[in-house]
Amino acid sequence: PPPITRKHPTKVIVKLEVQEVVKRLADGVDYTFWTFGGSVPGKFIRIREGDAVEFSLNNHPSSKMPHNIDLHAVTGPGGGAAASFTAPGHSSVFSFKALNRGLYVYHCATAPVGMHIANGMYGLILVEPPEGLPAVDREYYVMQGEFYTAGKNGAPGLQPFAMEKAIDEKPDYVVFNGSVGSLTGDKALTAKVGETVRLFLGNGGPNLISSFHVIGEIFDKVLVEGGNLVNANVQTTLIPAGGSTITEFKVEVPGTLILVDHSIFRT
């Protein structure tokens, strides 16, 4: 996401559409994702502390379920969930003021909440300080999430959601950005030697904690849990379910750097 260049504070219009779409989860495996905007994670929302935000949520007519949104950046009943409950084919609008800077998760909070999150309904909202974040060369948006399917890992075809596995917290897939291999090959994140990289990291969960690590790098700076606390020279950082962090590092040698959850049997 590009940095914001504008007067501050201001009124910001944010629009999201809920869509239930069949997409690739792994090679030969499809899944019906419930999404904000057709992708997992949903759109990266970038505002600034003090902004007045008008938020519109549209639930596509083809959806089979009502949905809403809980933004952890919002103070008030349900983080917006109470004001945004939206039936298929309808829209809702509510407003909030961005009171606290930081990087926050948003997700659907319609019952059963865990099922909606497990189907992919999450994203990140960044509330920058009024002056913005310091400039870096590259910024990337990565969210971890787990999926619970009726078939085992690799079972082909369209896989339905498995509630019993989700309750037992035994996922068949733990992935970045919604699918196996989403950040590999032609879709890999790139940078040049000497450039600084900022990663906006989130964990949609719904259950597992992420032990986030980049093989071949050390984080020069970690904004712990996406807040004000800064840690330095960090190898692996914890991202709780429903939480986030911001990491920064300078690329010092050429080669392939691998993003992993260092809870290693998930890799």
Side-chain angles (χ1 to χ4, degrees):
I4 293 174
T5 303
R6 57 171 171 78
K7 293 182 180 180
H8 176 81
T10 189
K11 181 176 180 179
V12 178
I13 305 295
V14 177
K15 297 181 180 181
L16 281 182
E17 181 171 69
V18 174
Q19 294 176 283
E20 300 172 13
V21 296
V22 176
K23 300 181 72 172
R24 174 191 173 277
L25 176 57
D27 288 343
V29 183
D30 291 329
Y31 190 83
T32 302
F33 295 93
W34 299 357
T35 73
F36 290 107
S39 66
V40 179
K43 179 167 66 174
F44 190 93
I45 302 170
R46 190 168 193 158
I47 59 176
R48 291 193 182 183
E49 184 181 8
D51 282 347
V53 181
E54 182 181 286
F55 197 102
S56 299
L57 185 69
N58 180 62
N59 194 355
H60 195 274
S62 64
S63 296
K64 297 179 177 62
M65 299 282 290
H67 297 286
N68 64 4
I69 190 166
D70 172 1
L71 301 111
H72 291 185
V74 173
T75 54
S84 61
F85 186 83
T86 310
H90 293 266
S91 299
S92 61
V93 180
F94 67 97
S95 298
F96 68 91
K97 187 173 183 178
L99 300 178
N100 299 89
R101 67 185 67 179
L103 182 64
Y104 300 95
V105 168
Y106 66 81
H107 61 86
C108 186
T110 301
V113 177
M115 180 180 181
H116 287 247
I117 296 174
N119 281 325
M121 297 196 75
Y122 47 78
L124 290 180
I125 175 170
L126 173 67
V127 184
E128 294 190 73
E131 69 278 10
L133 293 176
V136 293
D137 296 301
R138 310 254 181 174
E139 293 183 324
Y140 290 113
Y141 170 33
V142 178
M143 282 197 82
Q144 182 171 312
E146 66 252 23
F147 291 89
Y148 302 84
T149 57
K152 295 180 180 180
N153 184 296
L158 180 61
Q159 292 294 321
F161 169 72
M163 178 64 84
E164 186 174 344
K165 289 182 179 179
I167 293 171
D168 290 341
E169 301 186 10
K170 295 180 178 178
D172 299 280
Y173 298 89
V174 182
V175 298
F176 294 131
N177 287 10
S179 65
V180 175
S182 65
L183 301 176
T184 61
D186 293 340
K187 297 172 285 186
L189 312 180
T190 61
K192 297 177 181 178
V193 172
E195 289 185 330
T196 52
V197 178
R198 176 181 290 137
L199 297 178
F200 297 110
L201 302 165
N203 183 6
N207 293 318
L208 304 181
I209 292 173
S210 176
S211 304
F212 187 80
H213 174 72
V214 177
I215 300 174
E217 261 301 341
I218 297 168
F219 302 131
D220 300 317
K221 181 188 295 185
V222 172
L223 276 68
V224 179
E225 296 184 3
N228 294 336
L229 180 64
V230 178
N231 203 351
N233 299 323
V234 175
Q235 58 189 320
T236 301
T237 187
L238 288 174
I239 311 175
S244 65
T245 192
I246 301 172
T247 68
E248 297 178 10
F249 60 90
K250 183 177 181 179
V251 180
E252 295 172 309
V253 296
T256 300
L257 309 175
I258 303 173
L259 282 61
V260 299
D261 180 343
H262 215 298
S263 301
I264 205 69
F265 277 99
R266 299 176 192 164
T267 303

